[in-house]
Amino acid sequence: MAQYGLSRMYEEGEGVEVDKEKALFWYKKSIDNGNTEAMHNLGIMYYKGDGIEKIAS
């Protein structure tokens, strides 16, 4: 859960500067540990192209 919290902090800039690459890194770590909320949020980042190459729609 801490990894997910870090990813949200970096994505939103809560207490730290916004850093989409670090957010992606921590989302992926959180997903590796079974966090489905992280999977959802990472999917949204991919969909929007938010700090990452956008998935063609």
Side-chain angles (χ1 to χ4, degrees):
M1 205 58 180
Q3 293 168 332
Y4 177 72
L6 277 171
S7 58
R8 294 289 299 158
M9 289 173 69
Y10 282 117
E11 184 180 8
E12 302 296 327
E14 296 174 15
V16 296
E17 287 191 38
V18 172
D19 188 329
K20 300 296 181 168
E21 287 183 23
K22 286 183 181 177
L24 291 168
F25 173 83
W26 288 110
Y27 275 136
K28 289 175 184 177
K29 288 287 188 184
S30 187
I31 290 166
D32 289 343
N33 287 306
N35 188 307
T36 56
E37 291 177 54
M39 191 178 299
H40 172 80
N41 290 351
L42 181 62
I44 290 172
M45 288 183 77
Y46 274 111
Y47 180 76
K48 289 181 176 180
D50 195 9
I52 197 162
E53 186 176 338
K54 183 176 179 175
I55 294 176
S57 50

